[in-house]
mmCIF file of all heavy atoms in Angstrom:
data_model
loop_
_atom_site.group_PDB
_atom_site.id
_atom_site.type_symbol
_atom_site.label_atom_id
_atom_site.label_comp_id
_atom_site.label_asym_id
_atom_site.label_seq_id
_atom_site.Cartn_x
_atom_site.Cartn_y
_atom_site.Cartn_z
ATOM 1 N N VAL A 45 1.014 1.931 -3.948
ATOM 2 C CA VAL A 45 -0.417 2.266 -3.612
ATOM 3 C C VAL A 45 -1.095 1.460 -4.679
ATOM 4 O O VAL A 45 -0.964 1.648 -5.973
ATOM 5 C CB VAL A 45 -0.768 3.766 -3.700
ATOM 6 C CG1 VAL A 45 -2.278 3.981 -3.589
ATOM 7 C CG2 VAL A 45 0.072 4.473 -2.626
ATOM 8 N N TYR A 46 -2.113 0.620 -4.305
ATOM 9 C CA TYR A 46 -2.963 -0.091 -5.222
ATOM 10 C C TYR A 46 -4.470 0.393 -5.022
ATOM 11 O O TYR A 46 -4.935 0.469 -3.870
ATOM 12 C CB TYR A 46 -2.861 -1.609 -4.876
ATOM 13 C CG TYR A 46 -1.534 -2.175 -5.096
ATOM 14 C CD1 TYR A 46 -0.545 -2.074 -4.112
ATOM 15 C CD2 TYR A 46 -1.213 -2.793 -6.313
ATOM 16 C CE1 TYR A 46 0.796 -2.651 -4.329
ATOM 17 C CE2 TYR A 46 0.016 -3.321 -6.556
ATOM 18 C CZ TYR A 46 1.003 -3.196 -5.517
ATOM 19 O OH TYR A 46 2.267 -3.830 -5.694
ATOM 20 N N ARG A 47 -5.174 0.530 -6.061
ATOM 21 C CA ARG A 47 -6.552 0.970 -6.030
ATOM 22 C C ARG A 47 -7.357 -0.105 -6.745
ATOM 23 O O ARG A 47 -7.141 -0.410 -7.940
ATOM 24 C CB ARG A 47 -6.781 2.274 -6.647
ATOM 25 C CG ARG A 47 -6.043 3.442 -5.837
ATOM 26 C CD ARG A 47 -6.036 4.756 -6.765
ATOM 27 N NE ARG A 47 -5.380 5.723 -6.007
ATOM 28 C CZ ARG A 47 -4.041 5.905 -6.262
ATOM 29 N NH1 ARG A 47 -3.347 5.178 -7.048
ATOM 30 N NH2 ARG A 47 -3.411 6.925 -5.642
ATOM 31 N N LEU A 48 -8.431 -0.581 -6.094
ATOM 32 C CA LEU A 48 -9.446 -1.511 -6.711
ATOM 33 C C LEU A 48 -10.013 -1.018 -8.029
ATOM 34 O O LEU A 48 -10.120 -1.633 -8.972
ATOM 35 C CB LEU A 48 -10.425 -1.919 -5.814
ATOM 36 C CG LEU A 48 -11.438 -3.034 -6.274
ATOM 37 C CD1 LEU A 48 -10.672 -4.367 -6.559
ATOM 38 C CD2 LEU A 48 -12.517 -3.255 -5.336
ATOM 39 N N ALA A 49 -10.307 0.287 -7.980
ATOM 40 C CA ALA A 49 -10.955 1.001 -9.118
ATOM 41 C C ALA A 49 -10.120 0.969 -10.486
ATOM 42 O O ALA A 49 -10.669 0.985 -11.570
ATOM 43 C CB ALA A 49 -11.304 2.470 -8.822
ATOM 44 N N THR A 50 -8.861 0.715 -10.323
ATOM 45 C CA THR A 50 -7.895 0.662 -11.368
ATOM 46 C C THR A 50 -7.369 -0.776 -11.530
ATOM 47 O O THR A 50 -6.265 -0.996 -12.100
ATOM 48 C CB THR A 50 -6.757 1.729 -11.272
ATOM 49 O OG1 THR A 50 -5.901 1.262 -10.098
ATOM 50 C CG2 THR A 50 -7.162 3.008 -11.188
ATOM 51 N N GLY A 51 -8.072 -1.685 -10.956
ATOM 52 C CA GLY A 51 -7.662 -3.066 -11.098
ATOM 53 C C GLY A 51 -6.455 -3.362 -10.216
ATOM 54 O O GLY A 51 -5.741 -4.381 -10.408
ATOM 55 N N LEU A 52 -6.255 -2.523 -9.134
ATOM 56 C CA LEU A 52 -5.189 -2.687 -8.244
ATOM 57 C C LEU A 52 -3.799 -2.505 -8.955
ATOM 58 O O LEU A 52 -2.874 -3.121 -8.614
ATOM 59 C CB LEU A 52 -5.176 -3.868 -7.381
ATOM 60 C CG LEU A 52 -6.310 -3.878 -6.255
ATOM 61 C CD1 LEU A 52 -6.192 -5.289 -5.469
ATOM 62 C CD2 LEU A 52 -6.120 -2.805 -5.383
ATOM 63 N N THR A 53 -3.777 -1.582 -9.855
ATOM 64 C CA THR A 53 -2.514 -1.265 -10.562
ATOM 65 C C THR A 53 -1.687 -0.459 -9.607
ATOM 66 O O THR A 53 -2.151 0.446 -8.904
ATOM 67 C CB THR A 53 -2.904 -0.326 -11.796
ATOM 68 O OG1 THR A 53 -3.721 -1.110 -12.719
ATOM 69 C CG2 THR A 53 -1.524 -0.038 -12.525
ATOM 70 N N GLN A 54 -0.471 -0.774 -9.563
ATOM 71 C CA GLN A 54 0.509 -0.178 -8.610
ATOM 72 C C GLN A 54 0.889 1.223 -9.042
ATOM 73 O O GLN A 54 1.247 1.526 -10.215
ATOM 74 C CB GLN A 54 1.715 -1.118 -8.531
ATOM 75 C CG GLN A 54 2.790 -0.494 -7.689
ATOM 76 C CD GLN A 54 4.126 -1.363 -7.990
ATOM 77 O OE1 GLN A 54 4.721 -1.332 -9.009
ATOM 78 N NE2 GLN A 54 4.507 -1.958 -6.850
ATOM 79 N N GLU A 55 0.997 2.162 -8.055
ATOM 80 C CA GLU A 55 1.537 3.431 -8.117
ATOM 81 C C GLU A 55 2.582 3.573 -7.031
ATOM 82 O O GLU A 55 2.245 3.405 -5.937
ATOM 83 C CB GLU A 55 0.459 4.592 -8.170
ATOM 84 C CG GLU A 55 1.028 5.970 -8.291
ATOM 85 C CD GLU A 55 -0.029 7.031 -8.485
ATOM 86 O OE1 GLU A 55 -1.229 6.678 -8.362
ATOM 87 O OE2 GLU A 55 0.364 8.260 -8.449
ATOM 88 N N ILE A 56 3.814 4.005 -7.294
ATOM 89 C CA ILE A 56 4.806 4.041 -6.255
ATOM 90 C C ILE A 56 4.935 5.562 -5.773
ATOM 91 O O ILE A 56 5.137 6.577 -6.604
ATOM 92 C CB ILE A 56 6.164 3.590 -6.894
ATOM 93 C CG1 ILE A 56 5.974 2.100 -7.270
ATOM 94 C CG2 ILE A 56 7.326 3.732 -5.810
ATOM 95 C CD1 ILE A 56 7.198 1.452 -7.837
ATOM 96 N N TYR A 57 4.838 5.645 -4.544
ATOM 97 C CA TYR A 57 5.093 6.968 -3.885
ATOM 98 C C TYR A 57 6.395 6.985 -3.242
ATOM 99 O O TYR A 57 6.648 6.155 -2.383
ATOM 100 C CB TYR A 57 3.932 7.150 -2.786
ATOM 101 C CG TYR A 57 2.585 7.591 -3.347
ATOM 102 C CD1 TYR A 57 1.960 6.836 -4.353
ATOM 103 C CD2 TYR A 57 1.823 8.596 -2.844
ATOM 104 C CE1 TYR A 57 0.702 7.118 -4.850
ATOM 105 C CE2 TYR A 57 0.697 8.899 -3.266
ATOM 106 C CZ TYR A 57 0.038 8.154 -4.305
ATOM 107 O OH TYR A 57 -1.222 8.548 -4.738
ATOM 108 N N ASP A 58 7.152 8.143 -3.518
ATOM 109 C CA ASP A 58 8.569 8.153 -2.875
ATOM 110 C C ASP A 58 8.332 9.277 -1.717
ATOM 111 O O ASP A 58 7.312 9.763 -1.333
ATOM 112 C CB ASP A 58 9.553 8.558 -3.853
ATOM 113 C CG ASP A 58 9.288 9.937 -4.592
ATOM 114 O OD1 ASP A 58 8.515 10.659 -4.103
ATOM 115 O OD2 ASP A 58 9.985 10.132 -5.586
ATOM 116 N N LEU A 59 9.445 9.624 -1.200
ATOM 117 C CA LEU A 59 9.517 10.618 -0.076
ATOM 118 C C LEU A 59 8.997 11.940 -0.289
ATOM 119 O O LEU A 59 8.558 12.653 0.615
ATOM 120 C CB LEU A 59 10.979 10.688 0.529
ATOM 121 C CG LEU A 59 11.644 9.415 1.025
ATOM 122 C CD1 LEU A 59 13.143 9.633 1.362
ATOM 123 C CD2 LEU A 59 10.834 8.951 2.262
ATOM 124 N N SER A 60 8.813 12.251 -1.507
ATOM 125 C CA SER A 60 8.234 13.607 -1.918
ATOM 126 C C SER A 60 6.820 13.606 -1.977
ATOM 127 O O SER A 60 6.182 14.696 -2.255
ATOM 128 C CB SER A 60 8.868 14.074 -3.240
ATOM 129 O OG SER A 60 8.420 13.320 -4.363
#
Side-chain angles (χ1 to χ4, degrees):
V45 177
Y46 297 84
R47 295 172 185 86
L48 182 61
T50 60
L52 288 180
T53 303
Q54 174 192 65
E55 183 177 356
I56 298 176
Y57 283 50
D58 63 14
L59 294 173
S60 68

